[in-house]
Amino acid sequence: MESAHIESDLVNILFTEEEIQAKLAEMAKLIEADYDGKDLLMVGVLRGAVMVMADLARCLDRHLEMDWMAVSSYGSGTKSSGVVRILKDLDTDITGRHVLVVDEIIDTGLTLSWLISNLSSRNAASVEIATLLRKPEALAMPVEPKYVGWDIPNEFVVGYGLDYQERYRNLRCIGTLAPHVYS
């Protein structure tokens, strides 16, 4: 979906489709160098990370495996509920594997902090995070991603996998959602 179709729903566009693709290619080069010679398993956090995971994986010039987890701490609102639930667990045994968790955004850090702890307890060789966006002002839990596309202000953003009530995920850019949409 193009932003022109929902112009009144967005305050501004933070990143265009072209900027996102360039950033993912940049991140892929770093990942390739860091995991050279290592058995890499990318774990996408459903549903938001689908776009990021797919495009990041296509930027990598190497073999890798992919798996998915669905965890939630949001419910249907715009703020984290504080309770993390596994909705879909991994199908892959990660014992001895180098795991790269891919997410679209780090907001409070609650979900990813819990997820990293959970995955680390499964005897992985390493567990790291790649995220397209991070909101440093919103962090409530310590989370140290190894790869970050951009730091952004603590605003409600949608597009490229990010949603509000399951809408806007297919927007090709990332923009700030207008308050009149969610208030």
Side-chain angles (χ1 to χ4, degrees), residues 28 42 52-62 64 66:
M42 289 175 60
V52 175
M53 178 95 150
D55 288 346
L56 181 60
R58 283 192 290 254
C59 288
L60 291 168
D61 190 23
R62 58 159 297 148
L64 59 93
M66 297 177 7

Side-chain angles (χ1 to χ4, degrees), residues 113-129:
S113 174
W114 181 90
L115 183 58
I116 296 306
S117 176
N118 180 285
L119 294 176
S120 296
S121 74
R122 301 182 193 193
N123 300 313
S126 67
V127 180
E128 298 290 351
I129 302 168

